[in-house]
Amino acid sequence: MGENPDKRDVRLKVNVTPAERDLLDAKAKASGQTRSDFMREAALGRRATVSPEKILDGIWVLNLVLGHIRAIAELPPSDAPDYALILLELHRIESMILMFAPVGFTGEDG
């Protein structure tokens, strides 16, 4: 029998800080991959895959966001809208979006 050329039997050692390790683990988990698979895909320039569960989670979050946007749109018209209520709803929307965003994403430029 010949050797399998696709067998991964070569080990590489990579030094990282504890914070970097935690970030790699979080990103790998978010993409539904092991740390090794995530690092291999990233190092080889491949896009990280997203698990079907994460896609369903994202759809669920987007539906919640849509509900909050509808709630804002359906606020009764008046000469003096309740801006505090609108800001509260927008903050809830932002929180839901950030909950689904990639690890390390802040939503701020820079």
Side-chain angles (χ1 to χ4, degrees), residues 3-103:
E3 265 189 53
N4 180 356
D6 295 328
K7 183 177 178 186
R8 294 188 175 105
D9 57 0
V10 177
R11 287 193 164 266
L12 301 176
K13 183 177 178 180
V14 178
N15 295 324
V16 296
T17 66
E20 290 170 331
R21 180 204 53 221
D22 294 345
L23 183 58
L24 286 168
D25 288 344
K27 286 186 174 190
K29 183 178 180 182
S31 70
Q33 296 177 303
T34 64
R35 183 192 310 151
S36 292
D37 289 340
F38 179 80
M39 291 177 65
R40 184 180 313 105
E41 297 298 308
L44 295 174
R46 300 180 190 142
R47 290 185 64 135
T49 58
V50 177
S51 69
E53 293 83 12
K54 290 294 178 186
I55 292 172
L56 290 175
D57 288 346
I59 292 169
W60 179 77
V61 169
L62 291 174
N63 278 321
L64 287 176
V65 168
L66 179 60
H68 282 282
I69 291 172
R70 282 188 178 139
I72 291 171
E74 292 169 0
L75 289 173
S78 69
D79 292 338
D82 187 348
Y83 292 112
L85 180 59
I86 293 172
L87 285 173
L88 175 65
E89 288 298 320
L90 289 173
H91 179 69
R92 288 180 183 167
I93 291 169
E94 178 186 37
S95 297
M96 284 185 278
I97 291 171
L98 289 175
M99 181 174 70
F100 185 65
V103 175

